[in-house]
Amino acid sequence: MSIDLHEANRLSWNAATVAHNSHKGDQAAFFRAGGSTLYPEEIELLGDIAGLDVLHLQCNSGQDSLSLARRGANVTGVDISDEAIAFATRLSAESGIAAVFERSDLFGWFDDARKAGRRFDRVFASYGTICWLSNLGVWARGIADVLKPGGRFAFVEFHPFAMVFDQGWKPHYDYAPKDPVAEAGVGDYVADSGAGLAHGGYQEGVVGFANPHPSFEFNWGIADVVQALIDAGLRMEVLKEYPYANGWVAFEGMRDLGGGRMAPPAAMPSLPLMYAIVAAKVGSTAEYREKAGRPSS
């Protein structure tokens, strides 16, 4: 595992998070007025979460976490970024929506959660999360270990096929390369996407953001994700693909289909830009691994 690269990403995210939130206006007022940052896809995948214990992995600045809490869940959000967790904690207090936020590298958090016997009815992650993780096996086993029997993992992510293109829709990158990709740093994708990622109204905020800290991304294909979850003992229940990306304006000429669903230009063929998974925990994870001859941690 490349924990040293995770640490580099923490520094890069700390810088980028300040720029991202500068574009989103008065977020506490947005939530106090009944706002939500969830898209219909997440709501459908999670189902009724009222009264359930929900773990939000890589929760960023907590906007989706608070939207989950508004739906009646008892929410715990975890993120590696100090800046993101500090912002989420303030936003919870200022909006009056209760949630718990914990700052940790996800792999270390899973170790601590196992030791403490923490369990959740739902685990949730969405949009640009697993590209920051150096080992999907550790991720999937951690999810399985903190789910209650009968609990579910709901996941929506940008489609790895879309990542083969440069901004001008020209095939340029390998599909799911196995080595980490060094980048100049987490960019200001909120500024690039405008209102699509600023639900309460876009404002100019930080202009010309340049991240002083490099970042490192890990690219995973859909088969990598599905196999990791199966190997961890989870049962696949849902696998969907979507011909649009929620809120993210990643390429030239993208068009809004309504509700922030961004699609390729009309002249292009339909392409998968997002996918979603729901996986369930059936029985004991330890029993499954013993039967399958797999290690328990």
Side-chain angles (χ1 to χ4, degrees):
M1 290 185 294
S2 302
I3 297 301
D4 54 335
L5 300 187
H6 287 200
E7 176 62 16
N9 288 339
R10 180 183 70 84
L11 298 176
S12 197
W13 272 104
N14 280 347
T17 297
V18 175
H20 296 169
N21 283 314
S22 76
H23 304 299
K24 297 181 179 181
D26 189 341
Q27 297 184 63
F30 169 74
F31 281 107
R32 288 195 300 267
S36 172
T37 58
L38 296 174
Y39 287 95
E41 289 79 9
E42 294 102 270
I43 294 170
E44 178 187 2
L45 293 167
L46 283 161
D48 183 5
I49 56 173
L52 300 185
D53 296 323
V54 175
L55 172 64
H56 185 189
L57 304 179
Q58 296 166 275
C59 66
N60 199 269
S61 295
Q63 294 91 346
D64 283 358
S65 306
L66 298 183
S67 299
L68 296 170
R70 162 137 306 141
R71 300 183 68 84
N74 306 308
V75 178
T76 299
V78 179
D79 198 272
I80 196 171
S81 166
D82 315 77
E83 178 63 33
I85 289 299
F87 187 95
T89 301
R90 291 195 303 271
L91 186 58
S92 174
E94 293 171 4
S95 67
I97 303 173
V100 174
F101 293 99
E102 301 177 9
R103 210 292 317 166
S104 179
D105 181 277
L106 191 56
F107 294 171
W109 188 91
F110 280 137
D111 286 340
D112 292 340
R114 285 188 193 95
K115 293 172 185 175
R118 299 177 71 176
R119 296 292 184 270
F120 298 85
D121 301 290
R122 297 283 188 276
V123 177
F124 174 64
S126 65
Y127 304 115
T129 54
I130 57 171
C131 64
W132 306 107
L133 301 178
S134 60
N135 189 309
L136 280 193
V138 173
W139 170 78
R141 290 192 296 273
I143 292 167
D145 286 343
V146 300
L147 274 173
K148 299 175 184 179
R152 284 172 171 77
F153 172 53
F155 179 61
V156 59
E157 182 59 278
F158 299 120
H159 204 294
F161 177 68
M163 305 308 170
V164 307
F165 299 103
D166 64 16
Q167 281 193 309
W169 293 105
K170 181 179 179 181
H172 182 76
Y173 304 99
D174 290 338
Y175 178 84
K178 298 306 178 187
D179 294 325
V181 177
E183 302 284 358
V186 180
D188 193 355
Y189 55 80
V190 178
D192 295 338
S193 297
L197 294 177
H199 296 265
Y202 181 83
Q203 64 182 35
E204 185 174 60
V206 173
V207 177
F209 173 73
N211 202 316
H213 302 288
S215 59
F216 300 86
E217 297 186 23
F218 307 88
N219 296 275
W220 306 104
I222 289 181
D224 297 320
V225 177
V226 170
Q227 194 62 54
L229 295 170
I230 291 172
D231 288 346
L234 298 179
R235 183 182 68 198
M236 301 297 297
E237 294 190 335
V238 174
L239 176 59
K240 292 185 175 183
E241 296 175 299
Y242 306 90
Y244 52 82
N246 280 337
W248 185 44
V249 183
F251 307 101
E252 294 176 1
M254 293 189 77
R255 55 199 172 96
D256 193 336
L257 302 179
R261 293 175 170 177
M262 307 306 299
M268 286 184 60
S270 176
L271 300 171
L273 297 185
M274 295 193 319
Y275 71 104
I277 287 171
V278 176
K281 179 171 180 176
V282 181
S284 163
T285 303
E287 290 173 354
Y288 170 84
R289 291 180 189 158
E290 183 178 354
K291 291 177 182 178
R294 297 187 174 102
S296 60
S297 62

